[in-house]
Amino acid sequence: MSTPVELTILICSANPSIARTLRMAARGVGIRSVQLAANSQQIIDGFVTAEPHCLVVYVDGPEK
Protein backbone atom coordinates (compact mmCIF):
# COMPACT_ATOMS: atom_id res chain seq x y z
CA MET A 1 0.00 0.00 0.00
CA SER A 2 1.19 3.50 -0.82
CA THR A 3 1.84 6.06 1.88
CA PRO A 4 0.06 9.42 1.61
CA VAL A 5 3.26 11.10 0.44
CA GLU A 6 3.42 8.75 -2.57
CA LEU A 7 -0.18 9.36 -3.66
CA THR A 8 -1.39 11.74 -6.35
CA ILE A 9 -4.98 12.91 -6.29
CA LEU A 10 -7.09 14.98 -8.66
CA ILE A 11 -9.84 17.14 -7.15
CA CYS A 12 -12.65 18.33 -9.40
CA SER A 13 -14.97 21.11 -8.28
CA ALA A 14 -16.49 24.07 -10.10
CA ASN A 15 -16.29 25.92 -6.77
CA PRO A 16 -12.69 27.14 -6.24
CA SER A 17 -13.16 27.59 -2.48
CA ILE A 18 -14.28 23.97 -2.06
CA ALA A 19 -11.38 22.76 -4.23
CA ARG A 20 -8.84 24.66 -2.12
CA THR A 21 -10.40 23.38 1.11
CA LEU A 22 -10.24 19.78 -0.13
CA ARG A 23 -6.61 20.33 -1.22
CA MET A 24 -5.72 21.65 2.26
CA ALA A 25 -7.41 18.62 3.86
CA ALA A 26 -5.48 16.25 1.58
CA ARG A 27 -2.21 17.97 2.39
CA GLY A 28 -3.12 17.83 6.07
CA VAL A 29 -3.10 14.02 5.94
CA GLY A 30 0.22 13.99 4.11
CA ILE A 31 -0.72 13.92 0.42
CA ARG A 32 1.68 16.25 -1.35
CA SER A 33 0.69 15.84 -5.00
CA VAL A 34 -2.76 17.38 -5.45
CA GLN A 35 -4.07 18.58 -8.81
CA LEU A 36 -7.19 20.74 -9.17
CA ALA A 37 -9.69 20.69 -12.04
CA ALA A 38 -12.72 22.90 -12.60
CA ASN A 39 -14.10 21.35 -15.80
CA SER A 40 -14.04 18.20 -17.89
CA GLN A 41 -11.07 19.28 -20.04
CA GLN A 42 -8.98 19.94 -16.93
CA ILE A 43 -9.91 16.47 -15.61
CA ILE A 44 -8.65 14.90 -18.85
CA ASP A 45 -5.48 17.00 -18.73
CA GLY A 46 -4.98 16.02 -15.08
CA PHE A 47 -5.18 12.32 -15.89
CA VAL A 48 -2.71 12.73 -18.74
CA THR A 49 -0.14 14.77 -16.83
CA ALA A 50 -0.48 13.59 -13.21
CA GLU A 51 -1.73 10.00 -13.55
CA PRO A 52 -3.63 10.30 -10.24
CA HIS A 53 -4.33 7.42 -7.90
CA CYS A 54 -7.66 8.94 -6.90
CA LEU A 55 -10.28 11.33 -8.32
CA VAL A 56 -12.31 13.36 -5.85
CA VAL A 57 -15.41 14.98 -7.35
CA TYR A 58 -17.40 17.60 -5.47
CA VAL A 59 -20.90 18.08 -6.91
CA ASP A 60 -22.99 21.04 -5.76
CA GLY A 61 -26.58 20.34 -4.88
CA PRO A 62 -29.51 22.24 -6.35
CA GLU A 63 -29.77 25.90 -5.40
CA LYS A 64 -32.62 26.79 -3.07
Side-chain angles (χ1 to χ4, degrees), residues 2-64:
S2 299
T3 65
V5 174
E6 298 169 333
L7 296 176
T8 299
I9 66 170
L10 177 59
I11 297 172
C12 178
S13 175
N15 183 327
S17 297
I18 295 294
R20 287 191 301 270
T21 300
L22 291 171
R23 179 177 56 195
M24 285 189 310
R27 289 186 173 162
V29 297
I31 299 170
R32 296 291 163 235
S33 182
V34 180
Q35 300 287 325
L36 300 180
N39 58 50
S40 57
Q41 185 58 51
Q42 289 178 351
I43 292 173
I44 293 167
D45 294 344
F47 270 99
V48 170
T49 59
E51 297 182 11
H53 296 94
C54 177
L55 172 64
V56 177
V57 179
Y58 178 85
V59 179
D60 288 324
E63 303 224 4
K64 295 183 180 188

